[in-house]
Amino acid sequence: MLRFILLRLVQSFFTLVGVTFLSFLIIKLAPADYFAQLKLNPQISPETIEALRKQYGLDQPILIQYLKWLKSALMFDLGVSFQYHAPVSELIKERIANTLLLTVPSAILSWLIAIPLGLLAGMKEGSTIDKLIRFKSYIFMSFPSFFLAFLLLLLLSKSGFFQLGGWQSLLVGIITITLISTAGLIRLMRSATIEVLNSPMVLLLRSKGLRGWAFTRHIVKNAMNPFTTLIGYEIAGLLSGAALVEIIIGWPGLGSLMLDAVLATDLFLVMGGLYIGTIMLLIGNLVADLLLAYLDPRVREKEILK
């Protein structure tokens, strides 16, 4: 187990370096940057702009800039934002709580709703219940998250009790993300359940006379295997998956912060957001691998015990 974790950590480090280097390179190769925009201000002299570039170390070769940034980022010193003139880590820390307040309840509700509904639809394949559940999934899968959030805002605004940016906005965001996420998860759980029900294992269980909860428990355990691969994306999505919804509902999370950073070409703030998001994704993938190995003995023997 220790060898497996160490190997995954080494792979994660190289993945982190690769992702951040490519992102840094793409941002630097953009036709304009934050300081180029300052040239449009006649009150700022070219000498001042060059002094600012030197202050932030942007007068050096791209590779040197990246290596210095990476060295600091590994110590979670993500630099200083150009537009906010504040440490990037502090700016991200201020917004993370708001984003998690939106995404964590949405993720929990999505799984709590999708797993039993998907299981029920799969075990009742072809029935009226199955058709109704699938109909619900198809409807909400056809809606982009930002459009559904906009529709909910439009409906609630006519009630006269809705205030943009308050707890009502948070509630709209949670409902939106939950409905969209649940639709896809239901279909995945339904497909996994049907696949398990058609497997030789089920024939063996039925031949032994297994019924009721004991039978359902085996179905759920085997049908949950595909879900473990989604955990990595779910954990990463806790910080980045609600960006558009945050912007639509006016919620002060990481989404609006990253949008402002991209529009302003704020190098260190953009890189800080990408860095944290990549780390979350890598942690999620490691957790998913460990859970998959726990649930599936074949994976455990192949990956961990080898």
Side-chain angles (χ1 to χ4, degrees):
M1 177 68 76
L2 180 61
R3 179 177 176 274
F4 173 80
I5 295 176
L6 290 176
L7 180 62
R8 284 291 188 269
L9 290 176
V10 172
Q11 293 174 345
S12 298
F13 173 77
F14 285 108
T15 301
L16 180 65
V17 172
V19 170
T20 54
F21 177 72
L22 288 176
S23 302
F24 194 92
L25 187 63
I26 291 172
I27 296 172
K28 292 296 294 182
L29 292 178
D33 60 14
Y34 180 80
F35 295 104
Q37 300 175 22
L38 295 181
K39 294 180 180 179
L40 302 176
N41 189 341
Q43 297 181 347
I44 303 178
S45 65
E47 292 77 12
T48 301
I49 294 176
E50 289 303 317
L52 288 172
R53 288 184 181 276
K54 187 174 182 180
Q55 177 183 342
Y56 286 102
L58 301 181
D59 58 332
Q60 300 176 337
I62 292 179
L63 182 59
I64 300 300
Q65 293 181 40
Y66 170 75
L67 291 176
K68 287 186 174 181
W69 175 86
L70 179 63
K71 180 181 177 181
S72 299
L74 292 175
M75 305 300 295
F76 283 92
D77 178 7
L78 302 178
V80 177
S81 168
F82 300 152
Q83 56 179 333
Y84 293 101
H85 307 290
V88 171
S89 56
E90 293 297 325
L91 293 172
I92 293 177
K93 189 185 301 182
E94 290 174 1
R95 299 293 188 98
I96 277 181
N98 288 337
T99 295
L100 293 179
L101 194 61
L102 173 63
T103 55
V104 171
S106 303
I108 294 174
L109 287 173
S110 298
W111 283 61
L112 290 177
I113 294 171
I115 290 176
L117 287 181
L119 179 66
L120 179 61
M123 299 189 73
K124 302 288 185 179
E125 183 184 6
S127 66
T128 302
I129 294 177
D130 178 34
K131 293 177 181 178
L132 288 174
I133 293 175
R134 280 190 293 160
F135 179 70
K136 178 264 180 190
S137 298
Y138 292 145
I139 287 178
F140 289 109
M141 285 187 69
S142 64
F143 278 99
S145 59
F146 68 90
F147 185 65
L148 180 58
F150 178 77
L151 287 180
L152 292 175
L153 288 176
L154 184 62
L155 292 174
L156 290 174
S157 63
K158 296 182 179 297
S159 67
F161 298 99
F162 182 77
Q163 294 181 352
L164 187 64
W167 65 267
Q168 296 100 327
S169 288
L170 176 62
L171 185 60
V172 169
I174 291 175
I175 293 173
T176 300
I177 298 173
T178 300
L179 290 175
I180 298 295
S181 299
T182 302
L185 291 174
I186 286 176
R187 293 194 64 190
L188 178 62
M189 186 65 186
R190 177 183 179 274
S191 300
T193 301
I194 293 174
E195 183 179 352
V196 173
L197 288 173
N198 293 325
S199 66
M201 179 201 71
V202 172
L203 294 176
L204 177 62
L205 293 176
R206 285 174 173 166
S207 66
K208 292 184 176 181
L210 206 61
R211 295 291 185 273
W213 168 243
F215 176 80
T216 305
R217 182 171 58 86
H218 285 282
I219 301 299
V220 172
K221 183 176 180 180
N222 286 274
M224 284 296 293
N225 280 359
F227 278 78
T228 57
T229 59
L230 294 176
I231 292 180
Y233 299 102
E234 287 285 341
I235 293 178
L238 292 178
L239 295 183
S240 59
L244 288 177
V245 174
E246 286 181 357
I247 295 169
I248 294 297
I249 66 176
W251 187 249
L254 285 175
S256 56
L257 180 67
M258 289 299 108
L259 176 64
D260 292 340
V262 171
L263 294 177
T265 326
D266 194 337
L267 173 65
F268 295 134
L269 186 52
V270 173
M271 288 301 301
L274 288 170
Y275 182 74
I276 299 299
T278 303
I279 289 178
M280 293 288 287
L281 179 61
L282 294 172
I283 292 174
N285 284 335
L286 177 60
V287 172
D289 288 340
L290 294 175
L291 285 176
L292 186 60
Y294 171 76
L295 293 172
D296 193 336
R298 296 169 297 179
V299 176
R300 184 163 59 247
E301 292 175 1
K302 181 180 178 180
E303 297 292 338
I304 295 182
L305 299 180
K306 66 180 179 179

